[in-house]
Amino acid sequence: MEHTIENFEGTKVVENNYGGESMGDVQAGIEFIYHMREHLVDVGVATVYLFVCYGIYLAMKKYIK
């Protein structure tokens, strides 16, 4: 693919991966899980926070009723 722009000096390479060369869904899922290892503490803290908030909600619901 070529494109001409006025007052532009240099080149830019754009790759379009269509067909079999693109990353599949399975490989993308594997890479996502692999990179999630770097955020285990963040996910753990968010999970604990979620359960604490849900517990507070249930306690408030019980006491208001």
Side-chain angles (χ1 to χ4, degrees):
M1 176 191 293
E2 292 184 18
H3 188 86
T4 305
I5 301 173
E6 295 180 23
N7 301 326
F8 178 76
E9 295 180 12
T11 60
K12 179 176 181 178
V13 176
V14 177
E15 295 182 16
N16 293 323
N17 293 326
Y18 297 112
E21 297 177 0
S22 64
M23 179 173 30
D25 291 338
V26 174
Q27 184 177 352
I30 291 170
E31 287 186 14
F32 174 76
I33 293 169
Y34 179 77
H35 291 297
M36 280 305 296
R37 292 188 307 160
E38 300 172 3
H39 302 285
L40 284 178
V41 174
D42 300 334
V43 172
V45 169
T47 303
V48 170
Y49 180 74
L50 172 74
F51 285 133
V52 168
C53 290
Y54 185 63
I56 292 170
Y57 165 76
L58 290 177
M60 289 174 58
K61 185 177 175 183
K62 181 180 178 182
Y63 289 124
I64 290 174
K65 201 173 190 182

